[in-house]
Amino acid sequence: MTIDTETIEELIESGIPESVARVSTPRVHNDEDEDAHFAAVVVSPAFDGESLVDQHQRVYDAVGDHMTRSVHALEIKTYTPEAYAEHGDGRLDDDLRTAGLLPVE
């Protein structure tokens, strides 16, 4: 069973309140049978006050059974909106503003 980045983003965004997720494939797969490796950046105010382990567990829970069926590895970076504004790379700024999670400039 295969899964694409957009589906994983939808699973995360529907499973974590007020979240914005961007999922990529961090390495090029050269064989159809190679395990699926993904990387996710997830920003949500729901992470406020949670440990990093708990934040990552929320992401795994949102991806659900796909973690054992179609996702071999998932590299996760989680942020609250405030932490992303301070430490993030800025790639999600427009999406976060659209979602009302960052101030409009």
Side-chain angles (χ1 to χ4, degrees):
M1 179 178 181
T2 60
I3 192 167
D4 59 28
T5 57
E6 292 83 14
T7 301
I8 297 171
E9 288 173 359
E10 291 170 8
L11 289 167
I12 294 169
E13 289 177 350
S14 64
I16 299 174
E18 298 182 82
S19 65
V20 172
R22 285 304 159 261
V23 177
S24 62
T25 51
R27 67 179 195 194
V28 177
H29 302 290
N30 57 11
D31 181 281
E32 286 185 19
D33 295 323
E34 187 173 349
D35 293 329
H37 291 249
F38 297 93
V41 177
V42 185
V43 181
S44 174
F47 296 143
D48 190 38
E50 291 189 342
S51 71
L52 188 60
V53 170
D54 288 340
Q55 292 174 23
H56 287 201
Q57 188 60 54
R58 287 184 81 143
V59 175
Y60 287 128
D61 290 346
V63 176
D65 290 342
H66 293 283
M67 284 303 305
T68 58
R69 295 186 190 154
S70 50
V71 175
H72 174 75
L74 182 60
E75 174 188 325
I76 302 171
K77 290 185 180 180
T78 52
Y79 300 92
T80 62
E82 295 79 13
Y84 185 81
E86 186 174 338
H87 303 289
D89 62 11
R91 293 183 200 177
L92 296 180
D93 285 357
D94 289 340
D95 294 329
L96 292 167
R97 281 189 192 94
T98 299
L101 299 175
L102 282 182
V104 177
E105 291 182 351

